[in-house]
Amino acid sequence: MKHSEAPRHLLAGLDAKATASLLAVASDLALVLDADGVIRDVSVGAEDLQDASCADWVGRRWSETVTVESRPKVAALLEEAGASKAEAARKWRHINHAQGTGPDLPLLYSAIRVGGNGQVVAFGRDLRANSSLQIRLVEAQQAMERDYLRLRQMETRYRHLFQQVREAIVIVAAETLKIVELNPAAEQLLGKEAGTLVGRSIAEGFGVAARDRVAALLGGVRLSGKADHAMDAELDNGMPVEVAASLFRQSEGSMLLVRLTPPAAKTLRVVGGLAAPRQAAPNESAASLLQLVERMPDGFVVTDPHGMVLAANSSFIEMTQLATRDLVVGQPLARWLGRSEVDLGVLLSNLKQHGALRLFATRVRGAYGVDVDVEISAASVAGGEHPCLGFTVRDVGRRLNPDALKRRELPRSASQLIELVGRVPLKDIVSETTDLIEQMCIEAALELTQDNRASASEMLGLSRQSLYVKLRRYGLGDLGTEGGK
């Protein structure tokens, strides 16, 4: 470590006041300790640390203010500060200060001995921003790992299904009509190995007379985006097949899923061991769709434009803790949805203006007092003889919420409040807890109503004037736009 070449000449004019100012600006926090390691003075240079109760450390040993795992680091810093070699390299060490019931205060320290009586000055740098970034990084990594695992599982299921299905399926690039992938049933039907077919045009697998018609069919599906009617064609090996195609999109572009059905499999198909016609009737498709909605793990509700329930699936019935569907149908959705009736009003207003709404955070209130945190996506069908609204209700109670790290947490039990007794005066506990609850309720109301203060004041049971007074008190919102909401 290189020091100034002439410290006595350059710094000889510093007095005690100037030295104190230098300590304050040289670090976020500076501790002045005596020879026994007792903190005699604390200099706070960062505004973010003004409320960290650092002044309470004065008169205590430095090691008593830190967490258990940080005490050996404090001893090491004090030992290094008293090293005989003035030119010895000073190490920076991460030390956590205990903050009662709140999160620990992380600081990066380096210490140096000053004066002739063994005094030590410890310079600290605030690491809370770095700790927050580290926590967010770990959470993001865990989320990515979960998504990666989910995608791997989906790909495994897709591969297994693609390989085992008896129907001949060919994946074709929509722009070039070149084969990207085909399953074993398609290889057997075309009479060639996949290695000789991938990269070639699918039209080459058909007879000369059918190639133009197949290319026209696939081109029509690509342009319209809709599955065209099936057509009969003949493969280049002379086998007649029925050709059908549908369009789907992925990151590389548009793809066509081409199904080749020989005459033997054209009349019947096997579903769950039962023979059924290949083409499903419209009423069968509608019945299948209703069965899928009924078995969805997310709640699904259909209401009229005024919020009266017309239909609901089993998952939503389970959220409401009711025994039968009849207890839900015909009732207002606001009976179970939202912290108050304002939530449903916000939903209906947005659906009326925009026709759709995504990821609206609210709660479902159970009949026996069990509330569920949910996210709602909704859409409206305004046309037709029977206009209606559809709501998907997803339980997000167990979802990781990164925003919770930024919020101040309240004591969650009476035992945690009891732990504060003796450390903090009762009036301070009651006052701070009341103010914190009030502030959090106002913030939640503004968030739920998308900063609509009229709806927020109604949700909180306050007049708009009272709400504005509290907004000014806690420094919330932009009060310059009061007249617009």
Side-chain angles (χ1 to χ4, degrees):
M1 180 182 297
K2 186 176 180 180
H3 296 273
S4 173
E5 299 295 339
R8 294 183 179 178
H9 174 69
L10 297 176
L11 303 178
L14 291 180
D15 55 11
K17 184 176 181 180
T19 302
S21 300
L22 181 61
L23 292 177
V25 300
S27 60
D28 295 329
L29 180 77
L31 305 178
V32 180
L33 306 101
D34 61 18
D36 296 324
V38 177
I39 300 174
R40 296 305 179 186
D41 193 12
V42 177
S43 177
V44 180
E47 294 183 0
D48 295 341
L49 295 174
Q50 296 292 340
D51 299 329
S53 302
C54 302
D56 297 339
W57 302 344
V58 176
R60 300 172 60 189
R61 288 185 176 274
W62 189 12
S63 58
E64 295 176 356
T65 67
V66 302
T67 56
V68 175
E69 74 280 359
S70 297
R71 291 174 183 174
K73 300 179 184 179
V74 170
L77 281 172
L78 293 175
E79 182 179 354
E80 292 170 1
S84 58
K85 294 183 179 181
E87 299 295 331
R90 306 296 177 185
K91 293 184 178 180
W92 290 85
R93 299 182 185 274
H94 182 171
I95 292 178
N96 294 318
H97 284 273
Q99 293 289 293
T101 58
D104 295 336
L105 176 62
L107 294 170
L108 188 66
Y109 277 107
S110 180
I112 184 172
R113 176 162 292 182
V114 296
N117 298 323
Q119 294 95 335
V120 173
V121 176
F123 298 91
R125 298 175 182 172
D126 190 359
L127 293 181
R128 286 180 297 178
N130 292 344
S131 299
S132 176
L133 289 176
Q134 290 175 354
I135 293 173
R136 293 176 61 185
L137 177 61
V138 171
E139 290 177 349
Q141 184 177 6
Q142 291 176 347
M144 289 177 62
E145 290 177 354
R146 290 193 297 268
D147 290 342
Y148 179 71
L149 179 60
R150 179 175 58 85
L151 291 175
R152 285 287 302 273
Q153 293 172 345
M154 291 177 60
E155 183 179 7
T156 300
R157 292 193 293 268
Y158 158 73
R159 289 291 177 186
H160 181 74
L161 178 63
F162 189 68
Q163 295 295 324
Q164 297 299 321
V165 68
R166 297 181 180 181
E167 189 173 17
I169 298 176
V170 184
I171 307 298
V172 178
E175 296 293 336
T176 62
L177 299 186
K178 290 184 178 180
I179 297 176
V180 176
E181 190 176 9
L182 67 164
N183 67 347
E187 294 179 27
Q188 183 178 2
L189 187 63
L190 294 173
K192 297 179 182 179
E193 297 182 357
T196 63
L197 293 172
V198 174
R200 297 173 56 187
S201 173
I202 189 174
E204 297 180 13
F206 293 87
V208 177
R211 291 179 181 177
D212 292 340
R213 294 191 298 115
V214 170
L217 171 70
L218 300 182
V221 173
R222 177 176 64 85
L223 293 176
S224 65
K226 300 179 180 179
D228 205 342
H229 298 291
M231 60 168 286
D232 295 325
E234 189 175 278
L235 299 176
D236 61 352
N237 57 14
M239 178 180 292
V241 294
E242 182 183 79
V243 183
S246 58
L247 182 72
F248 67 95
R249 300 185 184 278
Q250 61 183 33
S251 58
E252 289 82 3
S254 298
M255 296 288 177
L256 294 169
L257 188 147
V258 182
R259 305 189 305 276
L260 306 177
T261 308
K266 185 175 180 180
T267 55
L268 294 177
R269 62 185 177 96
V270 178
V271 179
L274 300 177
R278 182 182 181 278
Q279 297 293 336
N283 57 346
E284 293 177 349
S285 299
S288 299
L289 180 60
L290 291 176
Q291 291 179 2
L292 289 174
V293 172
E294 176 64 21
R295 296 178 182 178
M296 285 173 56
D298 295 337
F300 185 81
V301 186
V302 179
T303 72
D304 65 15
H306 304 291
M308 301 297 292
V309 177
L310 302 177
N313 69 349
S314 299
S315 297
F316 184 78
I317 303 299
E318 183 178 352
M319 291 181 185
T320 61
Q321 299 182 292
L322 296 176
T324 64
R325 200 182 313 271
D326 295 336
L327 298 176
V328 176
V329 176
Q331 299 295 320
L333 184 58
R335 178 177 175 182
W336 304 281
L337 184 65
R339 296 167 177 82
S340 67
E341 294 184 357
V342 176
D343 280 13
L344 184 60
V346 173
L347 280 169
L348 298 180
S349 175
N350 278 274
L351 289 175
K352 183 177 180 180
Q353 295 179 8
H354 307 293
L357 181 68
R358 293 181 177 87
L359 304 180
F360 182 88
T362 183
R363 297 175 72 88
V364 170
R365 305 187 300 276
Y368 298 105
V370 178
D371 293 353
V372 180
D373 292 323
V374 297
E375 280 184 354
I376 292 181
S377 295
S380 66
V381 179
E385 298 180 357
H386 304 286
C388 60
L389 307 175
F391 302 83
T392 58
V393 185
R394 172 164 295 179
D395 184 352
V396 296
R398 297 184 179 180
R399 180 182 295 177
L400 181 65
N401 185 8
D403 292 336
L405 298 173
K406 303 176 183 177
R407 301 173 183 169
R408 298 169 63 186
E409 295 185 354
L410 288 173
R412 297 185 179 180
S413 65
S415 61
Q416 293 181 350
L417 285 173
I418 293 173
E419 291 177 359
L420 297 178
V421 176
R423 302 180 183 180
V424 181
L426 177 60
K427 63 178 182 179
D428 293 341
I429 296 176
V430 175
S431 176
E432 291 184 7
T433 304
T434 303
D435 292 344
L436 182 56
I437 293 174
E438 187 174 72
Q439 180 179 348
M440 292 179 65
C441 290
I442 294 174
E443 290 175 344
L446 291 174
E447 181 178 353
L448 291 172
T449 60
Q450 299 181 357
D451 206 28
N452 188 314
R453 292 169 194 150
S455 298
S457 61
E458 182 181 354
M459 178 181 293
L460 295 169
L462 300 172
S463 65
R464 293 183 65 180
Q465 291 76 12
S466 298
L467 177 61
Y468 292 145
V469 170
K470 296 182 184 296
L471 290 176
R472 292 189 182 94
R473 177 182 179 184
Y474 298 115
L476 299 175
D478 182 8
L479 298 178
T481 61
E482 292 177 8
K485 293 185 178 182

